[in-house]
Amino acid sequence: MRIHICNPNTTASMTTKIAAAARAIASTGVEIIATQPEMGPASIEGYYDEAFAVPGLLQNIRAAEAEGALAHIIACFDDTGLDAARCLATSPVLGIGEAGFHAASFIAGKFSVVTTLGRSIPIIEHNLGRYGLASRCAKVRAAEVPVLALEQKNSGACLRISDEIELAKSEDRAEAIVLGCAGMADLAAELAQKHGLPVIDGVAAAVAFAESLVRLGLHTAKLGGYASPRAKPYTGLFAGFAP
Amino acid sequence: MRIHICNPNTTASMTTKIAAAARAIASTGVEIIATQPEMGPASIEGYYDEAFAVPGLLQNIRAAEAEGALAHIIACFDDTGLDAARCLATSPVLGIGEAGFHAASFIAGKFSVVTTLGRSIPIIEHNLGRYGLASRCAKVRAAEVPVLALEQKNSGACLRISDEIELAKSEDRAEAIVLGCAGMADLAAELAQKHGLPVIDGVAAAVAFAESLVRLGLHTAKLGGYASPRAKPYTGLFAGFAP
Amino acid sequence: MRIHICNPNTTASMTTKIAAAARAIASTGVEIIATQPEMGPASIEGYYDEAFAVPGLLQNIRAAEAEGALAHIIACFDDTGLDAARCLATSPVLGIGEAGFHAASFIAGKFSVVTTLGRSIPIIEHNLGRYGLASRCAKVRAAEVPVLALEQKNSGACLRISDEIELAKSEDRAEAIVLGCAGMADLAAELAQKHGLPVIDGVAAAVAFAESLVRLGLHTAKLGGYASPRAKPYTGLFAGFAP
Amino acid sequence: MRIHICNPNTTASMTTKIAAAARAIASTGVEIIATQPEMGPASIEGYYDEAFAVPGLLQNIRAAEAEGALAHIIACFDDTGLDAARCLATSPVLGIGEAGFHAASFIAGKFSVVTTLGRSIPIIEHNLGRYGLASRCAKVRAAEVPVLALEQKNSGACLRISDEIELAKSEDRAEAIVLGCAGMADLAAELAQKHGLPVIDGVAAAVAFAESLVRLGLHTAKLGGYASPRAKPYTGLFAGFAP
Amino acid sequence: MRIHICNPNTTASMTTKIAAAARAIASTGVEIIATQPEMGPASIEGYYDEAFAVPGLLQNIRAAEAEGALAHIIACFDDTGLDAARCLATSPVLGIGEAGFHAASFIAGKFSVVTTLGRSIPIIEHNLGRYGLASRCAKVRAAEVPVLALEQKNSGACLRISDEIELAKSEDRAEAIVLGCAGMADLAAELAQKHGLPVIDGVAAAVAFAESLVRLGLHTAKLGGYASPRAKPYTGLFAGFAP
Amino acid sequence: MRIHICNPNTTASMTTKIAAAARAIASTGVEIIATQPEMGPASIEGYYDEAFAVPGLLQNIRAAEAEGALAHIIACFDDTGLDAARCLATSPVLGIGEAGFHAASFIAGKFSVVTTLGRSIPIIEHNLGRYGLASRCAKVRAAEVPVLALEQKNSGACLRISDEIELAKSEDRAEAIVLGCAGMADLAAELAQKHGLPVIDGVAAAVAFAESLVRLGLHTAKLGGYASPRAKPYTGLFAGFAP
């Protein structure tokens, strides 16, 4: 079973970390193909970066679909381009934010999210609202750590995240934590140990659930909003992306 | 990996069917332990039956936990006793209704549920509300087929369910269907083929997701509502169930 | 008019206190029958205890129904077994949590709840969500007092509850308080006096509203989720509970 | 115990009918004072009529409060002026719409409302939203019968209401009906009999609950939105209404 | 284009300030007619005052409609009498609270409101709920400043408001502020400058949007709740207000 | 005052129609700059097309901002790229869907939307949810007319739209209609006349509201989700779009 995981930013060290996290959880016999777009932003911090991450992500989804990927994972916690990817693919497509929220819902009544920057909070709240899981999330918190600081040793990022987890326990009555950035994938186990509650990394959750959907024989529904794109001319830089 | 699936009613033929559905999806190396309570109702059709299904279910959960089950599945679409089971177990516990709703949420914008009797609609709507997924469900429909009719050949049950699926497509704009009874586990593939949209069996979904949670190393959160029961006297018939 | 109030735990001192609170509010000519189950937990603190309180509660409901009770009250603030009891009874059945919320809604815009343990908060929040009254509740607070500590003199329980009421006024803008445990029935008047806002005891509210429903000639609706249980075999310990 | 019920329109025959319905349910020893405003509209059909019903209603509330009324009932299903009346009174104030919704919530999972004219549907939906009970109401239906047609024999009004009840059962899965006009108070018993489900008259419900609140010793909360009006000049026609 | 703005209280200095704020934003060629009722309260602080502000307001709306006003603005942040005015007028009618909320929604994800007294918070929350915009409002805050204190120099009111804005930024993550009283119209620019975020005055917003609706050729919808009042007798003081 | 309106698809005839509709409503002295992207899809029908419309749209927003545009309008009813555009611009940015919903909210209790294809319904429902206005929308309907059919004479499109408006009146109790495509801008007046209720074109509404926001001196809030993009490398095709 081939599963495609796309880091929608162009930072290779982050793709490497994500691929490692994905392979660590993947079942025997599951091949993880990790990609990043050829074009777009070095990190995704807000709606503007998202807009330029999506075309390259879709290019990678299309290529991976052609090469037999049975599921796709979007490895940005904002679930950048998830709906567009579902229109393009017949295989299931999961976002790591979405996967993290669902995992938390299976094991806890309420969870809090700890993400990077405050500007990402509204995006995550929008997603929670759309997925229907807003009532399960006690609070979306920001550690005020830029995404790429997570790639640097000694940035103090982990400590800031840890502080927010402590607040989530005491102030939000959170029963579990969802880490709000793909770049935090390597911190989950240590933070769970330290704080004594489940700490969920969306990358691992997405891989496990993607395998599940493949085994269940489920495909993306094509009757409504995820119908395949209608044939039509695309112009200029995007001529090659026409459905 | 040992996974315990409990049919919370006492009808053995249904346990057999559920066990078969579970084993069909389980990964190599996963052992499925299928149980049913020693006491309680022959089928669960409404809140009253639920009340008498739960003690036996919990007995089985406790026994399976002791025997090393790494996850538990409650194989009634009402997710009977799910919260109590989560208090008792440290392993993850999933309901098949819950699992079906989450699976549908990963592949479709909106889904409809087709269950057995109209009296079960409020229970399912309550669960959707609690899980937070009510906004993802277009409608809960009843085929008005008793649970045990699903165990009889030629009961016409499948045709009634098929009719409701057709209405869900045309009237609800449902993009996927979740079958609303463990006894429908064997119908999903045929109905998906017939109606041209994803049809989800909660038993299979629960097995796949349960494996996922085990591999992710997640346990039931113990900080809030699912805290382990406090030690205290239990009296009479239930003396042996004291925490 | 005979009204049955069932304390669903097995602690006799609590039944006595509840009966006294009920008789204190009951109209002349109303006979209060106070019961407790023969089997089950000594107190209800979380979902697990609930599961073992319900069968005995239903036994008592059935017996009281047969003896002409015109209404039933479930005297646990979690409204344990309320839906199952409504399936069984044709008389109205009220939970004391539910009654307290409705009473508060008639006299205040927003109320806060002060319950015993934090583990009960999710249960109460679930109930508020189901009843539709979540938007009327500013916050569910826990005094972190075990249920049976309310039965002991000098446990400091009342002071802890009083502290939470003060926070509810200042932080939640609560206009009224609903006491979140049957064992607090004797504290309402004193706390209302001390804090200068309405403090509602669910036991008294439930008795008054139960009388009201009887006088209005209303019965539990039998068309949907509260339909009478269907006849079917019950097995083992529960054989005698078959509908 | 003196309870004041105010029909906020100026049609005396309707006040008479309301008084009769109130006295029919009132406990022995409860004195029902039925009033109507000296000024305002002959019936309340929409927001404009409401605006001119409220000053006279408040005048009557103030007078009744001075004469020792221990509770007040606003006998228009739109609950006209309810919030203003609660500011004025220290006794509890109930609307008959509100009382009907709460009564239905105690005995049924979902109810539908059958009111007079379509123009009243948004008002009732607003009220349900504010009270928090919108999720309990399957649908607000209009029989398209003017309020004063209910005062005429042979107007066909009852038949139109009956038709809507039938639709509420089949299309809304309503388990109970709340009659949406004070002028329907005399129809509840007959319609319940005919349709085989609880049919609730808000006038009777309000009287029973008002007595309950009085016996519970509850007053309108004065800490938030229902604080007593601040002293200030009132001008012109309304000089005499200054707080 | 003639636009009518009605200050629904009887304080002339406030009408003058509102008129000035309205004229400052009005387009060339727009005539602002500013009125206040002949009868009613000197300020609107809670539901009771509202009830006595509405009849005079409606009188002014009717007169202005007859004199060719193409839109009406209700210049009290509680949007006093908005629904009744919409029944009466065929021209659009806007409340300044409503206009402020919509303006904030166009430029910010979340806003907070800073109003005068705590007793007005529930009214504003009710309005937000009805308009559908509750999810856009982070918090409704009160500076605990009486309305007429805003008319006095050196009352310290502006400082109290400023303090709440600072809290809205730090505690609510508010991205914009809506000032919650017509009497604050002259403070918006200074506070926006001081706090570095958009601060919205509902009077100005309402004038701009009222002009917009006129230019768009839109009238108040007459098919549902805003249908023109039905002809019927009005009695006593209000005989002259009969539709 | 210069206002920029961007048709985010590449069909010039549609840009021409949109520009005409915008200029027809613009105030004297307002200059409308109408643009379309150099790259992207010929029409936007679903999430996939959206993804490729946004980069070109943002390019145009940036250029127009540099040329002194005081507001921007996104002339696709899906409000494609609205959040990203708000990050980029300091001037206000409005979507025509958003503008249409707000206009309808000022004049009607409930509105229905009539859009082109069923696949756009989920997008519009998502937007309504995020804006907070879902409760004001009775139903989102699709006429099942492709976007570019609106550019052809005799396509029967107007008749299909008209049929849906009739259903919205009778089945949804809609009091106003919002037309769900920029390509319907020329139909609003005729349909309003024919059906006797307000019919709103989002293009006109957006122009009027954009002028309003400029006159009010309001800018896009920069404290939360709409903060200006952080400086960082952009790669490949998108190198020139780096913030």
Side-chain angles (χ1 to χ4, degrees):
Chain A
M1 186 196 306
R2 178 175 292 173
I3 291 180
H4 169 224
I5 186 163
C6 182
N7 166 24
N9 72 36
T10 60
T11 298
S13 66
M14 206 160 150
T15 309
T16 302
K17 189 200 289 185
I18 289 166
R23 289 188 182 115
I25 185 75
S27 298
T28 312
V30 171
E31 179 191 11
I32 298 290
I33 310 292
T35 72
Q36 66 187 48
E38 288 180 9
M39 55 199 183
S43 63
I44 300 179
E45 295 169 320
Y47 295 110
Y48 184 85
D49 293 338
E50 280 194 5
F52 293 98
V54 177
L57 163 77
L58 293 174
Q59 202 168 39
N60 291 11
I61 297 262
R62 183 191 297 243
E65 187 94 354
E67 290 159 15
L70 295 182
H72 307 272
I73 293 167
I74 299 174
C76 172
F77 199 81
D78 299 350
D79 296 346
T80 312
L82 178 59
D83 290 316
R86 282 187 176 147
C87 292
L88 181 59
T90 52
S91 300
V93 186
L94 288 87
I96 65 166
E98 182 191 34
F101 305 147
H102 284 276
S105 298
F106 281 124
I107 56 157
K110 293 248 183 188
F111 58 86
S112 283
V113 174
V114 181
T115 189
T116 50
L117 297 177
R119 69 176 61 204
S120 292
I121 292 176
I123 300 177
I124 294 170
E125 291 178 341
H126 284 168
N127 285 346
L128 282 161
R130 286 178 47 188
Y131 302 156
L133 294 170
S135 64
R136 301 298 291 275
C137 180
K139 190 164 188 172
V140 182
R141 294 176 165 275
E144 299 304 347
V145 170
V147 170
L148 296 181
L150 295 165
E151 302 303 289
Q152 300 154 8
K153 294 272 178 207
N154 306 319
S155 68
C158 189
L159 201 60
R160 286 286 305 114
I161 294 164
S162 179
D163 288 350
E164 288 297 320
I165 291 176
E166 206 50 43
L167 290 170
K169 285 172 65 177
S170 61
E171 295 188 0
D172 314 346
R173 285 190 182 271
E175 303 169 20
I177 299 295
V178 180
L179 294 179
C181 181
M184 299 175 183
D186 51 347
L187 306 175
E190 178 187 338
L191 290 165
Q193 179 72 24
K194 178 172 176 186
H195 293 285
L197 85 179
V199 176
I200 293 165
D201 160 41
V203 173
V207 172
F209 291 150
E211 284 188 30
S212 295
L213 296 173
V214 174
R215 282 164 48 206
L216 290 165
L218 293 173
H219 293 82
T220 299
K222 289 293 165 187
L223 285 183
Y226 299 140
S228 297
R230 301 182 81 223
K232 69 184 60 169
Y234 272 49
T235 306
L237 285 184
F238 294 147
F241 290 88
Chain B
M1 183 195 307
R2 179 175 292 174
I3 292 179
H4 169 225
I5 186 162
C6 181
N7 167 24
N9 72 35
T10 59
T11 298
S13 66
M14 208 158 148
T15 309
T16 303
K17 189 200 288 188
I18 289 166
R23 290 187 183 117
I25 186 74
S27 296
T28 311
V30 171
E31 179 192 9
I32 299 291
I33 309 292
T35 72
Q36 66 187 47
E38 289 180 10
M39 54 197 183
S43 63
I44 300 179
E45 295 167 320
Y47 296 109
Y48 184 85
D49 293 337
E50 281 194 3
F52 294 98
V54 177
L57 163 77
L58 293 174
Q59 201 169 36
N60 292 11
I61 298 260
R62 184 192 295 241
E65 188 94 354
E67 290 160 15
L70 295 182
H72 306 272
I73 295 167
I74 299 174
C76 171
F77 199 79
D78 297 350
D79 296 347
T80 312
L82 179 59
D83 290 316
R86 283 187 176 146
C87 293
L88 180 60
T90 53
S91 301
V93 186
L94 288 86
I96 64 166
E98 183 191 33
F101 305 147
H102 285 277
S105 298
F106 280 125
I107 56 156
K110 294 248 182 187
F111 58 86
S112 283
V113 175
V114 181
T115 189
T116 50
L117 297 178
R119 69 175 62 203
S120 293
I121 292 176
I123 301 176
I124 294 170
E125 290 178 343
H126 284 168
N127 285 347
L128 283 161
R130 286 178 46 189
Y131 302 156
L133 294 170
S135 65
R136 301 299 291 275
C137 179
K139 190 162 187 172
V140 182
R141 293 175 167 275
E144 299 305 347
V145 170
V147 169
L148 296 182
L150 294 166
E151 302 303 288
Q152 300 154 8
K153 294 274 178 207
N154 306 319
S155 70
C158 188
L159 201 61
R160 285 289 303 116
I161 294 165
S162 179
D163 288 350
E164 288 297 320
I165 291 176
E166 206 50 42
L167 289 170
K169 286 172 66 176
S170 61
E171 294 188 359
D172 314 347
R173 286 189 180 272
E175 303 169 20
I177 299 295
V178 180
L179 293 179
C181 181
M184 298 176 184
D186 50 348
L187 305 177
E190 178 187 337
L191 289 165
Q193 179 72 24
K194 177 172 175 186
H195 292 285
L197 86 179
V199 175
I200 293 165
D201 160 42
V203 173
V207 172
F209 291 150
E211 285 189 30
S212 295
L213 296 172
V214 174
R215 283 165 47 205
L216 290 165
L218 293 173
H219 292 82
T220 299
K222 291 291 164 187
L223 286 183
Y226 300 139
S228 297
R230 304 181 79 225
K232 70 184 59 168
Y234 272 49
T235 307
L237 285 184
F238 295 147
F241 290 90
Chain C
M1 185 193 311
R2 177 175 295 174
I3 291 180
H4 168 224
I5 186 163
C6 180
N7 167 24
N9 72 37
T10 60
T11 298
S13 66
M14 207 159 150
T15 308
T16 303
K17 190 201 290 186
I18 289 166
R23 290 190 182 112
I25 185 76
S27 297
T28 313
V30 171
E31 178 191 10
I32 297 291
I33 310 292
T35 71
Q36 66 187 50
E38 289 180 10
M39 55 197 181
S43 64
I44 299 179
E45 294 168 321
Y47 295 110
Y48 184 86
D49 292 338
E50 282 195 5
F52 294 97
V54 177
L57 163 77
L58 293 174
Q59 201 168 40
N60 292 11
I61 297 262
R62 185 193 295 243
E65 187 94 353
E67 290 160 17
L70 295 181
H72 306 272
I73 295 167
I74 299 174
C76 172
F77 199 80
D78 298 350
D79 296 346
T80 311
L82 179 58
D83 290 314
R86 282 188 177 147
C87 292
L88 180 60
T90 52
S91 301
V93 186
L94 288 86
I96 65 166
E98 181 191 35
F101 305 147
H102 284 277
S105 299
F106 280 125
I107 57 156
K110 293 247 182 189
F111 58 87
S112 284
V113 174
V114 181
T115 190
T116 49
L117 297 177
R119 68 177 63 204
S120 292
I121 293 177
I123 300 177
I124 294 169
E125 290 178 342
H126 284 167
N127 285 347
L128 283 161
R130 285 179 46 189
Y131 302 155
L133 294 169
S135 65
R136 302 298 292 274
C137 179
K139 191 163 187 171
V140 182
R141 295 175 167 276
E144 299 305 347
V145 171
V147 170
L148 297 182
L150 294 165
E151 302 303 289
Q152 300 154 8
K153 293 273 179 209
N154 305 321
S155 69
C158 190
L159 201 60
R160 286 286 304 116
I161 294 165
S162 179
D163 288 350
E164 289 296 320
I165 292 176
E166 205 51 41
L167 290 170
K169 285 173 66 177
S170 60
E171 295 188 0
D172 313 347
R173 286 189 179 272
E175 303 169 20
I177 299 294
V178 180
L179 294 179
C181 181
M184 300 176 182
D186 51 346
L187 306 176
E190 177 188 338
L191 290 166
Q193 180 70 25
K194 176 172 177 187
H195 292 285
L197 84 180
V199 176
I200 294 164
D201 160 41
V203 173
V207 172
F209 291 150
E211 285 189 30
S212 295
L213 295 173
V214 173
R215 284 165 46 205
L216 290 165
L218 293 174
H219 293 82
T220 299
K222 290 291 166 188
L223 285 184
Y226 300 140
S228 297
R230 302 181 80 223
K232 68 185 60 169
Y234 272 49
T235 306
L237 285 184
F238 295 148
F241 289 90
Chain D
M1 185 193 309
R2 179 174 293 174
I3 291 179
H4 168 224
I5 185 163
C6 180
N7 166 25
N9 74 36
T10 60
T11 298
S13 66
M14 206 157 150
T15 309
T16 303
K17 189 199 292 187
I18 288 165
R23 289 186 183 116
I25 186 74
S27 297
T28 312
V30 171
E31 178 191 10
I32 297 290
I33 310 292
T35 72
Q36 66 187 51
E38 287 181 11
M39 55 198 181
S43 63
I44 300 179
E45 295 167 321
Y47 296 109
Y48 184 85
D49 292 337
E50 281 194 4
F52 293 98
V54 176
L57 163 77
L58 293 174
Q59 203 168 38
N60 291 11
I61 298 261
R62 184 191 296 243
E65 187 93 354
E67 289 160 17
L70 296 182
H72 307 273
I73 294 167
I74 300 175
C76 172
F77 199 80
D78 298 349
D79 295 346
T80 311
L82 178 60
D83 290 316
R86 283 189 176 145
C87 292
L88 181 58
T90 53
S91 300
V93 187
L94 288 87
I96 63 166
E98 182 192 34
F101 305 146
H102 284 276
S105 298
F106 280 124
I107 57 156
K110 293 248 180 186
F111 58 87
S112 283
V113 175
V114 181
T115 189
T116 49
L117 298 177
R119 68 176 61 205
S120 292
I121 292 176
I123 301 176
I124 294 169
E125 290 178 342
H126 284 167
N127 286 347
L128 282 162
R130 286 179 47 189
Y131 302 156
L133 295 170
S135 64
R136 302 299 292 275
C137 179
K139 190 163 187 172
V140 182
R141 294 176 166 275
E144 299 304 349
V145 170
V147 170
L148 297 182
L150 294 165
E151 301 304 289
Q152 299 154 10
K153 294 272 180 207
N154 306 320
S155 69
C158 189
L159 201 60
R160 286 288 303 117
I161 294 164
S162 178
D163 288 350
E164 289 296 321
I165 292 175
E166 205 52 40
L167 289 170
K169 286 172 65 176
S170 60
E171 295 188 359
D172 313 347
R173 285 189 179 271
E175 304 169 19
I177 299 294
V178 180
L179 293 178
C181 180
M184 299 175 183
D186 50 348
L187 306 177
E190 177 187 338
L191 289 165
Q193 180 72 24
K194 177 171 176 187
H195 292 286
L197 85 181
V199 175
I200 294 164
D201 160 42
V203 173
V207 171
F209 291 149
E211 285 188 30
S212 294
L213 296 172
V214 174
R215 284 165 46 205
L216 290 165
L218 293 173
H219 292 82
T220 299
K222 290 291 165 188
L223 286 183
Y226 300 140
S228 297
R230 303 181 79 223
K232 69 185 61 170
Y234 272 49
T235 307
L237 285 184
F238 295 146
F241 290 90
Chain E
M1 185 195 309
R2 177 174 294 173
I3 291 179
H4 168 225
I5 186 163
C6 180
N7 166 24
N9 73 37
T10 60
T11 298
S13 67
M14 206 158 150
T15 308
T16 302
K17 190 201 290 187
I18 288 166
R23 288 186 184 116
I25 186 75
S27 297
T28 312
V30 171
E31 180 191 10
I32 297 291
I33 310 292
T35 71
Q36 66 187 51
E38 288 180 11
M39 55 197 182
S43 64
I44 300 179
E45 294 168 321
Y47 296 110
Y48 184 86
D49 293 337
E50 281 194 6
F52 294 97
V54 177
L57 163 77
L58 292 175
Q59 202 169 38
N60 290 12
I61 298 262
R62 184 193 296 242
E65 187 93 353
E67 290 160 16
L70 295 181
H72 306 272
I73 294 166
I74 300 174
C76 171
F77 199 79
D78 298 350
D79 297 345
T80 312
L82 179 59
D83 290 315
R86 283 188 177 147
C87 292
L88 181 60
T90 53
S91 301
V93 187
L94 289 86
I96 65 166
E98 181 192 35
F101 305 146
H102 285 276
S105 298
F106 279 126
I107 57 156
K110 294 248 181 188
F111 58 87
S112 283
V113 175
V114 180
T115 190
T116 49
L117 298 177
R119 67 176 63 203
S120 293
I121 292 176
I123 301 177
I124 294 170
E125 290 178 343
H126 284 167
N127 286 346
L128 283 161
R130 285 180 46 189
Y131 303 156
L133 295 170
S135 64
R136 301 298 291 274
C137 179
K139 190 163 187 172
V140 182
R141 294 176 166 276
E144 298 304 348
V145 170
V147 170
L148 296 182
L150 295 165
E151 303 303 289
Q152 300 155 9
K153 294 273 180 208
N154 305 322
S155 69
C158 189
L159 202 60
R160 285 288 304 115
I161 294 165
S162 179
D163 288 350
E164 289 295 320
I165 292 176
E166 206 52 41
L167 289 171
K169 285 173 66 177
S170 61
E171 294 188 359
D172 314 346
R173 287 191 180 271
E175 303 169 18
I177 299 294
V178 180
L179 293 179
C181 180
M184 299 175 183
D186 51 347
L187 305 176
E190 178 188 338
L191 290 166
Q193 179 72 25
K194 177 172 176 187
H195 292 285
L197 84 179
V199 176
I200 293 164
D201 160 41
V203 174
V207 172
F209 290 150
E211 286 189 30
S212 294
L213 296 173
V214 174
R215 283 164 48 205
L216 290 165
L218 293 174
H219 292 82
T220 299
K222 290 292 165 189
L223 285 183
Y226 300 140
S228 297
R230 302 181 80 223
K232 69 184 59 169
Y234 272 49
T235 307
L237 284 183
F238 294 147
F241 289 90
Chain F
M1 184 194 309
R2 177 175 293 173
I3 290 179
H4 169 225
I5 186 164
C6 180
N7 167 24
N9 71 37
T10 61
T11 297
S13 65
M14 208 159 148
T15 309
T16 303
K17 190 200 288 184
I18 288 166
R23 290 187 183 115
I25 185 75
S27 296
T28 311
V30 170
E31 178 192 9
I32 297 291
I33 309 292
T35 71
Q36 67 187 50
E38 288 181 9
M39 55 198 183
S43 63
I44 299 178
E45 296 168 320
Y47 295 110
Y48 184 86
D49 293 338
E50 281 195 3
F52 293 98
V54 177
L57 163 77
L58 293 175
Q59 202 168 39
N60 292 10
I61 297 260
R62 184 191 297 242
E65 188 94 353
E67 290 160 15
L70 296 181
H72 306 272
I73 294 166
I74 299 174
C76 172
F77 199 80
D78 297 350
D79 296 347
T80 311
L82 179 59
D83 290 314
R86 281 186 178 149
C87 292
L88 181 59
T90 52
S91 301
V93 187
L94 288 87
I96 64 166
E98 182 191 35
F101 305 146
H102 284 277
S105 298
F106 280 125
I107 57 158
K110 293 246 182 189
F111 58 86
S112 283
V113 174
V114 181
T115 189
T116 49
L117 297 177
R119 67 176 62 203
S120 293
I121 292 176
I123 300 176
I124 295 169
E125 290 178 342
H126 284 166
N127 286 346
L128 283 161
R130 286 179 47 188
Y131 302 156
L133 294 169
S135 65
R136 301 298 292 274
C137 179
K139 189 163 188 173
V140 182
R141 293 176 167 275
E144 299 304 349
V145 170
V147 170
L148 296 181
L150 294 165
E151 301 304 288
Q152 300 154 11
K153 293 273 177 207
N154 305 321
S155 68
C158 189
L159 201 61
R160 284 290 302 116
I161 294 164
S162 179
D163 287 350
E164 289 296 321
I165 292 176
E166 205 51 42
L167 289 170
K169 286 173 66 176
S170 60
E171 294 188 0
D172 313 347
R173 286 191 181 269
E175 302 169 21
I177 299 295
V178 180
L179 293 178
C181 181
M184 298 175 183
D186 50 348
L187 306 177
E190 178 188 338
L191 289 166
Q193 180 70 24
K194 178 172 176 186
H195 293 285
L197 84 180
V199 175
I200 293 164
D201 161 41
V203 173
V207 172
F209 291 149
E211 285 189 31
S212 295
L213 296 173
V214 173
R215 284 165 46 205
L216 291 165
L218 293 173
H219 292 82
T220 299
K222 291 292 165 188
L223 285 184
Y226 301 140
S228 297
R230 303 181 78 221
K232 70 185 58 169
Y234 272 48
T235 307
L237 285 184
F238 295 147
F241 289 89

